[in-house]
Every structure is written in structure tokens, then in C-alpha cells.
Amino acid sequence: MATKTLEDIPGVGPAIAEKLREAGYTELMTIAVASPKDLSETCEIGEKKAMDIIEGAKLCADIGGFETGDAILERRKSVSKLSTGSKAFDDLLGGGLESQAITEFFGEFGSCKTQVCFQLAVNATLPEDKGGLDSDVIMLDSENTFRPERVIQMANYLGVDPEETLKRIHVARAFNSQHQILLVDKAIELAKDRKIRLMIVDSLTSHFRAEYLGRGALAERQQILNRHMHDLLNFATLNNAVIAVTNQVAAKPDAFFGDPTRPIGGHVVGHTATFRIYLRKGKAGKRIARLIDSPSLPEGEAVFSVTEDGIKD
Ligand code: GTP
Ligand code: MG
């Protein structure tokens, strides 16, 4: 079957298709998950028309239907596992981070969320039989913490060419939440030309938290964050990719989720992330990972260490 394009949506001719593409709605899937209000405003079409287009895109993109269990089993056969670098940590996750899913790492500052991200980025470039995905990596860096020097150290330890490894890691600095969201569209574009099976968002929530302050802004923040998470999940499904996101726990009680040890983004992030891992500091430089809320694995903990060479047992 030929791949459908925007022009296959009933009522979308070349003129509207162009407007849609210009506004960044380049995929049927992006339109199918858009809100009528956004689509109508950004493309300057009536809201009723926008609704029709979204409905049409849903049909063309073949989403929103039911799948039988055996079809899901078949799709899950293509799930890959990306190694964290630590055997204990991998075991906790049933072999590593799963593709076609979002894994969230949350914890306070210095709990090594960013260190884990570096290691995942380096590991993803390794061949599959070495725990990698043999792929390029996209890293959305919202806190300006990407350090090529760290990648070089880890690559050296693994005996792979540091320069080549760095060439496969595509880093984009996200300047604010809106920019961060747009970068996911850019990532979809980039993934058309090369194999990208790991996308990292470090940190997922910091811009949202800084920009949507107070109780009054909470509903909007959660709604936008929810859509962002779904864009990420969409990327994971389209590219059989691993998505790793980080999230700080609120040092001060969050406006809504009063508990200070709760991850930012609360229910929205929690419900869309398939795996949630709580990282905390242990004794003598060790770090502890706790698996929370997994659909198929028991809750448990793993101890790992962060050294100059990277993440290890
Ligand atoms: P925030 O982003 O501030 O929330 O923190 P984070 O969870 O991302 O923490 P990050 O990953 O930046 O962890 C920093 C910690 O990693 C430091 O406190 C060090 O303990 C450890 N670390 C970083 N680089 C090295 C290194 O080269 N060698 C060793 N042994 N440890 C390192
Ligand atoms: Mg960090």
C-alpha cells in the first residue's frame, strides 16, 4: 500500500496542504493528534474545518482502532533493549531500556540523571550484541549540560572511537518549552535520513516548570506537557526508538502535587512514561535506581556506580 500524504485527507487540496506543512504539520500523525483550536489558529482555517481535517487524518493515519493481542505480541517482538552499562541496572529493567516506550528517570540534583543519559547515548551507538542499538542519537538538552568530554571518556573506556561516537550524537539546546516541543518535529525529520533509535530529553520538565508558575497555570502546563509526551511516544513508535527523559523532584512542594519528593509533571508524565525510575544517592558514591510502576516487571532496586569510565556495577 502506498504511503498516504496530507493530500489524501478528504477536503485537503494543495493549498491547505501547503498551509499545514508550513505550520509544521508535515505528518498525518501530527495532524491526527493536534487540537482543533491549534490547527485552526496556526493554519488560519475555521475550527470546524480543522476538526474535519483532524478526523480525516485519523482515518488516513489508521489510528484510534483496536489491535488484537497477537498483533501486539508480533509488534513487541521488534522491541530492542538498550543497556545502561550496569548489569544490575539492566536486570532491574528486564534487560535494558525498551524501545517503543518512554523511560523516565527522576531524582534530585546530583542523582546522576544526566550521567545516565550520557551513558545511554554512547551505548546506543554500539552494535546490538554489545547492548546498543547501532544507531544515531538525538539529545534535547534543556539545561545546557551536554559535555562532549564526558562522551569521550565513556567511549574510550568502551574501546570505541570517541570522534565517531560524537558524530552520531545530535544535540539540540532547547531554549524554552515551545522550542523543546518543536525540536521533536525536527527530530522526526532527522530520523527520515538516518537511523535514530534513541531520543533523550534532559530535562523534560525544567522549562515547563519555570514557565508555568502557580496553580492558575497548572492545567495548561499539564495539557501541553501531555501533548509533548505523546509526540515523544509517537517518535518511539515510528522509529522503534528508546525515549529517555529526566525529571527533577520538586525541592519545594509543587503548586499542585504538594509532596516534595514527587516528580514534576505529576500524573501526566507518570501515566505516559512506561517505565519510571527513581534515582538517589547511596553510600560511597554509589547510586540507587528504583523501578516504579512498570507494566510487566516487579518493583525493585539496583545499585550502580558512576565513575570516570561511566556507569558500572
Ligand atoms: P540535575 O541535573 O542537577 O538535577 O542533576 P543530575 O541528576 O543530572 O546529576 P548529574 O548526572 O549531573 O550527576 C552529577 C554527579 O555525577 C556528580 O555529583 C558526580 O558524583 C558524578 N560525576 C560526574 N562526572 C563524573 C566523573 O567524571 N567521575 C565520577 N566519578 N563521577 C562523576
Ligand atoms: Mg542533569
Side-chain angles (χ1 to χ4, degrees):
M1 199 178 74
T3 324
K4 293 196 172 169
T5 67
L6 303 197
E7 284 82 356
D8 290 313
I9 304 172
V12 174
I16 293 184
E18 196 186 322
K19 275 191 186 177
L20 288 164
R21 290 199 176 95
E22 265 176 17
Y25 294 99
T26 54
E27 304 283 320
L28 287 170
M29 197 61 100
T30 329
I31 299 171
V33 299
S35 85
K37 191 161 178 289
D38 286 353
L39 199 71
S40 140
E41 278 171 12
T42 48
C43 301
E44 294 167 331
I45 48 177
E47 203 157 318
K48 168 77 178 67
K49 178 82 183 162
M51 265 193 236
D52 291 344
I53 291 175
I54 290 167
E55 284 312 308
K58 281 182 188 164
L59 292 173
C60 289
D62 192 23
I63 57 163
F66 291 95
E67 263 185 307
T68 52
D70 63 327
I72 295 171
L73 182 66
E74 196 52 42
R75 179 154 44 77
R76 283 194 53 81
K77 280 184 190 155
S78 61
V79 166
S80 313
K81 309 254 173 144
L82 170 62
S83 174
T84 60
S86 149
K87 173 85 170 59
F89 202 163
D90 287 351
D91 287 347
L92 179 72
L93 300 173
L97 275 76
E98 275 193 7
S99 63
Q100 302 175 24
I102 299 176
T103 300
E104 175 200 355
F105 296 94
F106 70 98
E108 61 180 26
F109 67 93
S111 57
C112 284
K113 301 180 293 294
T114 297
Q115 296 300 314
V116 169
C117 291
F118 285 142
Q119 190 69 61
L120 292 172
V122 174
N123 289 358
T125 65
L126 300 175
E128 297 205 19
D129 61 4
K130 295 266 181 351
L133 300 167
D134 189 19
S135 100
D136 281 24
V137 176
I138 285 181
M139 210 164 194
L140 305 190
D141 178 7
S142 69
E143 301 189 311
N144 200 18
T145 47
F146 180 75
R147 293 292 176 274
E149 297 82 0
R150 258 324 249 154
V151 170
I152 292 171
Q153 286 177 332
M154 291 175 179
N156 277 332
Y157 172 72
L158 292 169
V160 294
D161 185 337
E163 290 265 331
E164 288 305 313
T165 307
L166 283 170
K167 278 189 188 141
R168 300 184 77 179
I169 304 176
H170 309 264
V171 185
R173 179 80 201 283
F175 293 102
N176 55 45
S177 65
Q178 202 51 41
H179 186 215
Q180 185 174 320
I181 288 166
L182 290 174
L183 285 170
V184 180
D185 292 339
K186 280 269 176 213
I188 291 173
E189 286 293 310
L190 196 63
K192 285 180 183 159
D193 300 330
R194 43 187 110 219
K195 182 169 160 189
I196 296 176
R197 299 194 52 208
L198 171 63
M199 173 141 66
I200 292 168
V201 189
D202 183 19
S203 136
L204 174 75
T205 45
S206 60
H207 283 315
F208 290 89
R209 187 186 187 198
E211 291 164 29
Y212 296 87
L213 292 168
R215 214 173 240 286
L218 198 89
E220 195 187 356
R221 176 181 94 182
Q222 297 304 78
Q223 200 184 341
I224 297 173
L225 198 49
N226 184 35
R227 203 154 358 113
H228 185 41
M229 290 291 283
H230 281 94
D231 288 347
L232 292 171
L233 200 53
N234 186 16
F235 185 93
T237 315
L238 286 174
N239 298 291
N240 191 12
V242 172
I243 309 283
V245 305
T246 71
N247 196 356
Q248 261 203 341
V249 293
K252 279 186 296 188
D254 200 39
F256 191 70
F257 304 102
D259 180 350
T261 62
R262 271 194 181 261
I264 320 259
H267 303 307
V268 164
V269 176
H271 285 169
T272 318
T274 316
F275 300 94
R276 314 194 84 183
I277 296 152
Y278 177 51
L279 297 177
R280 66 179 200 274
K281 293 178 195 172
K283 285 189 188 123
K286 298 270 184 204
R287 294 292 186 279
I288 300 148
R290 161 167 272 276
L291 179 67
I292 291 166
D293 260 4
S294 153
S296 56
L297 295 164
E299 288 205 357
E301 289 193 342
V303 179
F304 64 95
S305 50
V306 181
T307 72
E308 195 173 307
D309 297 333
I311 307 289
K312 288 201 231 168
D313 274 322

mmCIF file with all atom_site columns, all heavy atoms in Angstrom, residues 261-274:
data_model
loop_
_atom_site.group_PDB
_atom_site.id
_atom_site.type_symbol
_atom_site.label_atom_id
_atom_site.label_alt_id
_atom_site.label_comp_id
_atom_site.label_asym_id
_atom_site.label_entity_id
_atom_site.label_seq_id
_atom_site.pdbx_PDB_ins_code
_atom_site.Cartn_x
_atom_site.Cartn_y
_atom_site.Cartn_z
_atom_site.occupancy
_atom_site.B_iso_or_equiv
_atom_site.pdbx_formal_charge
_atom_site.auth_seq_id
_atom_site.auth_comp_id
_atom_site.auth_asym_id
_atom_site.auth_atom_id
_atom_site.pdbx_PDB_model_num
ATOM 1  N N   . THR A 1 261 ? 8.778  15.090 47.424 1.00 0.00 ? 261 THR A N   1
ATOM 2  C CA  . THR A 1 261 ? 9.568  14.063 46.735 1.00 0.00 ? 261 THR A CA  1
ATOM 3  C C   . THR A 1 261 ? 8.900  13.612 45.442 1.00 0.00 ? 261 THR A C   1
ATOM 4  O O   . THR A 1 261 ? 9.351  12.686 44.792 1.00 0.00 ? 261 THR A O   1
ATOM 5  C CB  . THR A 1 261 ? 9.784  12.817 47.619 1.00 0.00 ? 261 THR A CB  1
ATOM 6  O OG1 . THR A 1 261 ? 8.508  12.247 47.896 1.00 0.00 ? 261 THR A OG1 1
ATOM 7  C CG2 . THR A 1 261 ? 10.497 13.159 48.905 1.00 0.00 ? 261 THR A CG2 1
ATOM 8  N N   . ARG A 1 262 ? 7.819  14.279 45.099 1.00 0.00 ? 262 ARG A N   1
ATOM 9  C CA  . ARG A 1 262 ? 7.148  13.866 43.874 1.00 0.00 ? 262 ARG A CA  1
ATOM 10 C C   . ARG A 1 262 ? 7.809  14.441 42.632 1.00 0.00 ? 262 ARG A C   1
ATOM 11 O O   . ARG A 1 262 ? 8.222  15.599 42.629 1.00 0.00 ? 262 ARG A O   1
ATOM 12 C CB  . ARG A 1 262 ? 5.710  14.371 43.889 1.00 0.00 ? 262 ARG A CB  1
ATOM 13 C CG  . ARG A 1 262 ? 4.782  13.400 44.526 1.00 0.00 ? 262 ARG A CG  1
ATOM 14 C CD  . ARG A 1 262 ? 3.392  13.837 44.177 1.00 0.00 ? 262 ARG A CD  1
ATOM 15 N NE  . ARG A 1 262 ? 2.419  12.966 44.780 1.00 0.00 ? 262 ARG A NE  1
ATOM 16 C CZ  . ARG A 1 262 ? 1.840  11.986 44.102 1.00 0.00 ? 262 ARG A CZ  1
ATOM 17 N NH1 . ARG A 1 262 ? 2.145  11.777 42.850 1.00 0.00 ? 262 ARG A NH1 1
ATOM 18 N NH2 . ARG A 1 262 ? 0.947  11.243 44.690 1.00 0.00 ? 262 ARG A NH2 1
ATOM 19 N N   . PRO A 1 263 ? 7.883  13.655 41.567 1.00 0.00 ? 263 PRO A N   1
ATOM 20 C CA  . PRO A 1 263 ? 8.456  14.214 40.336 1.00 0.00 ? 263 PRO A CA  1
ATOM 21 C C   . PRO A 1 263 ? 7.553  15.292 39.762 1.00 0.00 ? 263 PRO A C   1
ATOM 22 O O   . PRO A 1 263 ? 6.339  15.216 39.883 1.00 0.00 ? 263 PRO A O   1
ATOM 23 C CB  . PRO A 1 263 ? 8.517  13.011 39.405 1.00 0.00 ? 263 PRO A CB  1
ATOM 24 C CG  . PRO A 1 263 ? 7.621  11.980 39.991 1.00 0.00 ? 263 PRO A CG  1
ATOM 25 C CD  . PRO A 1 263 ? 7.463  12.272 41.429 1.00 0.00 ? 263 PRO A CD  1
ATOM 26 N N   . ILE A 1 264 ? 8.197  16.258 39.113 1.00 0.00 ? 264 ILE A N   1
ATOM 27 C CA  . ILE A 1 264 ? 7.458  17.337 38.466 1.00 0.00 ? 264 ILE A CA  1
ATOM 28 C C   . ILE A 1 264 ? 6.640  16.749 37.330 1.00 0.00 ? 264 ILE A C   1
ATOM 29 O O   . ILE A 1 264 ? 7.060  15.797 36.694 1.00 0.00 ? 264 ILE A O   1
ATOM 30 C CB  . ILE A 1 264 ? 8.456  18.334 37.840 1.00 0.00 ? 264 ILE A CB  1
ATOM 31 C CG1 . ILE A 1 264 ? 9.620  18.550 38.741 1.00 0.00 ? 264 ILE A CG1 1
ATOM 32 C CG2 . ILE A 1 264 ? 7.767  19.581 37.341 1.00 0.00 ? 264 ILE A CG2 1
ATOM 33 C CD1 . ILE A 1 264 ? 9.721  19.683 39.549 1.00 0.00 ? 264 ILE A CD1 1
ATOM 34 N N   . GLY A 1 265 ? 5.518  17.387 37.060 1.00 0.00 ? 265 GLY A N   1
ATOM 35 C CA  . GLY A 1 265 ? 4.720  16.895 35.943 1.00 0.00 ? 265 GLY A CA  1
ATOM 36 C C   . GLY A 1 265 ? 3.719  15.870 36.396 1.00 0.00 ? 265 GLY A C   1
ATOM 37 O O   . GLY A 1 265 ? 2.817  15.510 35.652 1.00 0.00 ? 265 GLY A O   1
ATOM 38 N N   . GLY A 1 266 ? 3.879  15.401 37.606 1.00 0.00 ? 266 GLY A N   1
ATOM 39 C CA  . GLY A 1 266 ? 2.892  14.547 38.265 1.00 0.00 ? 266 GLY A CA  1
ATOM 40 C C   . GLY A 1 266 ? 2.301  13.477 37.381 1.00 0.00 ? 266 GLY A C   1
ATOM 41 O O   . GLY A 1 266 ? 3.007  12.765 36.684 1.00 0.00 ? 266 GLY A O   1
ATOM 42 N N   . HIS A 1 267 ? 0.986  13.418 37.423 1.00 0.00 ? 267 HIS A N   1
ATOM 43 C CA  . HIS A 1 267 ? 0.272  12.326 36.767 1.00 0.00 ? 267 HIS A CA  1
ATOM 44 C C   . HIS A 1 267 ? 0.510  12.258 35.266 1.00 0.00 ? 267 HIS A C   1
ATOM 45 O O   . HIS A 1 267 ? 0.567  11.192 34.693 1.00 0.00 ? 267 HIS A O   1
ATOM 46 C CB  . HIS A 1 267 ? -1.220 12.467 37.007 1.00 0.00 ? 267 HIS A CB  1
ATOM 47 C CG  . HIS A 1 267 ? -1.554 12.506 38.462 1.00 0.00 ? 267 HIS A CG  1
ATOM 48 N ND1 . HIS A 1 267 ? -1.123 11.539 39.330 1.00 0.00 ? 267 HIS A ND1 1
ATOM 49 C CD2 . HIS A 1 267 ? -2.238 13.409 39.192 1.00 0.00 ? 267 HIS A CD2 1
ATOM 50 C CE1 . HIS A 1 267 ? -1.550 11.842 40.544 1.00 0.00 ? 267 HIS A CE1 1
ATOM 51 N NE2 . HIS A 1 267 ? -2.217 12.975 40.492 1.00 0.00 ? 267 HIS A NE2 1
ATOM 52 N N   . VAL A 1 268 ? 0.618  13.423 34.646 1.00 0.00 ? 268 VAL A N   1
ATOM 53 C CA  . VAL A 1 268 ? 0.735  13.442 33.189 1.00 0.00 ? 268 VAL A CA  1
ATOM 54 C C   . VAL A 1 268 ? 1.970  12.683 32.735 1.00 0.00 ? 268 VAL A C   1
ATOM 55 O O   . VAL A 1 268 ? 1.900  11.771 31.917 1.00 0.00 ? 268 VAL A O   1
ATOM 56 C CB  . VAL A 1 268 ? 0.790  14.894 32.675 1.00 0.00 ? 268 VAL A CB  1
ATOM 57 C CG1 . VAL A 1 268 ? 1.297  14.942 31.260 1.00 0.00 ? 268 VAL A CG1 1
ATOM 58 C CG2 . VAL A 1 268 ? -0.577 15.520 32.763 1.00 0.00 ? 268 VAL A CG2 1
ATOM 59 N N   . VAL A 1 269 ? 3.111  13.039 33.299 1.00 0.00 ? 269 VAL A N   1
ATOM 60 C CA  . VAL A 1 269 ? 4.346  12.373 32.908 1.00 0.00 ? 269 VAL A CA  1
ATOM 61 C C   . VAL A 1 269 ? 4.283  10.915 33.351 1.00 0.00 ? 269 VAL A C   1
ATOM 62 O O   . VAL A 1 269 ? 4.590  10.005 32.588 1.00 0.00 ? 269 VAL A O   1
ATOM 63 C CB  . VAL A 1 269 ? 5.570  13.090 33.520 1.00 0.00 ? 269 VAL A CB  1
ATOM 64 C CG1 . VAL A 1 269 ? 6.837  12.327 33.190 1.00 0.00 ? 269 VAL A CG1 1
ATOM 65 C CG2 . VAL A 1 269 ? 5.651  14.512 32.998 1.00 0.00 ? 269 VAL A CG2 1
ATOM 66 N N   . GLY A 1 270 ? 3.821  10.698 34.559 1.00 0.00 ? 270 GLY A N   1
ATOM 67 C CA  . GLY A 1 270 ? 3.770  9.351  35.123 1.00 0.00 ? 270 GLY A CA  1
ATOM 68 C C   . GLY A 1 270 ? 2.940  8.393  34.298 1.00 0.00 ? 270 GLY A C   1
ATOM 69 O O   . GLY A 1 270 ? 3.313  7.241  34.124 1.00 0.00 ? 270 GLY A O   1
ATOM 70 N N   . HIS A 1 271 ? 1.830  8.869  33.781 1.00 0.00 ? 271 HIS A N   1
ATOM 71 C CA  . HIS A 1 271 ? 0.954  7.958  33.056 1.00 0.00 ? 271 HIS A CA  1
ATOM 72 C C   . HIS A 1 271 ? 1.423  7.667  31.643 1.00 0.00 ? 271 HIS A C   1
ATOM 73 O O   . HIS A 1 271 ? 1.081  6.641  31.077 1.00 0.00 ? 271 HIS A O   1
ATOM 74 C CB  . HIS A 1 271 ? -0.480 8.498  33.051 1.00 0.00 ? 271 HIS A CB  1
ATOM 75 C CG  . HIS A 1 271 ? -1.131 8.321  34.389 1.00 0.00 ? 271 HIS A CG  1
ATOM 76 N ND1 . HIS A 1 271 ? -2.310 8.907  34.731 1.00 0.00 ? 271 HIS A ND1 1
ATOM 77 C CD2 . HIS A 1 271 ? -0.726 7.637  35.475 1.00 0.00 ? 271 HIS A CD2 1
ATOM 78 C CE1 . HIS A 1 271 ? -2.613 8.585  35.980 1.00 0.00 ? 271 HIS A CE1 1
ATOM 79 N NE2 . HIS A 1 271 ? -1.653 7.817  36.449 1.00 0.00 ? 271 HIS A NE2 1
ATOM 80 N N   . THR A 1 272 ? 2.183  8.578  31.067 1.00 0.00 ? 272 THR A N   1
ATOM 81 C CA  . THR A 1 272 ? 2.634  8.344  29.693 1.00 0.00 ? 272 THR A CA  1
ATOM 82 C C   . THR A 1 272 ? 3.957  7.588  29.682 1.00 0.00 ? 272 THR A C   1
ATOM 83 O O   . THR A 1 272 ? 4.221  6.806  28.768 1.00 0.00 ? 272 THR A O   1
ATOM 84 C CB  . THR A 1 272 ? 2.769  9.678  28.926 1.00 0.00 ? 272 THR A CB  1
ATOM 85 O OG1 . THR A 1 272 ? 1.653  10.487 29.265 1.00 0.00 ? 272 THR A OG1 1
ATOM 86 C CG2 . THR A 1 272 ? 2.785  9.452  27.440 1.00 0.00 ? 272 THR A CG2 1
ATOM 87 N N   . ALA A 1 273 ? 4.792  7.819  30.686 1.00 0.00 ? 273 ALA A N   1
ATOM 88 C CA  . ALA A 1 273 ? 6.048  7.071  30.754 1.00 0.00 ? 273 ALA A CA  1
ATOM 89 C C   . ALA A 1 273 ? 5.716  5.614  31.066 1.00 0.00 ? 273 ALA A C   1
ATOM 90 O O   . ALA A 1 273 ? 4.913  5.333  31.949 1.00 0.00 ? 273 ALA A O   1
ATOM 91 C CB  . ALA A 1 273 ? 6.942  7.660  31.837 1.00 0.00 ? 273 ALA A CB  1
ATOM 92 N N   . THR A 1 274 ? 6.310  4.707  30.319 1.00 0.00 ? 274 THR A N   1
ATOM 93 C CA  . THR A 1 274 ? 6.035  3.297  30.554 1.00 0.00 ? 274 THR A CA  1
ATOM 94 C C   . THR A 1 274 ? 6.842  2.782  31.738 1.00 0.00 ? 274 THR A C   1
ATOM 95 O O   . THR A 1 274 ? 6.396  1.944  32.495 1.00 0.00 ? 274 THR A O   1
ATOM 96 C CB  . THR A 1 274 ? 6.391  2.480  29.295 1.00 0.00 ? 274 THR A CB  1
ATOM 97 O OG1 . THR A 1 274 ? 5.897  3.185  28.161 1.00 0.00 ? 274 THR A OG1 1
ATOM 98 C CG2 . THR A 1 274 ? 5.769  1.114  29.345 1.00 0.00 ? 274 THR A CG2 1
#
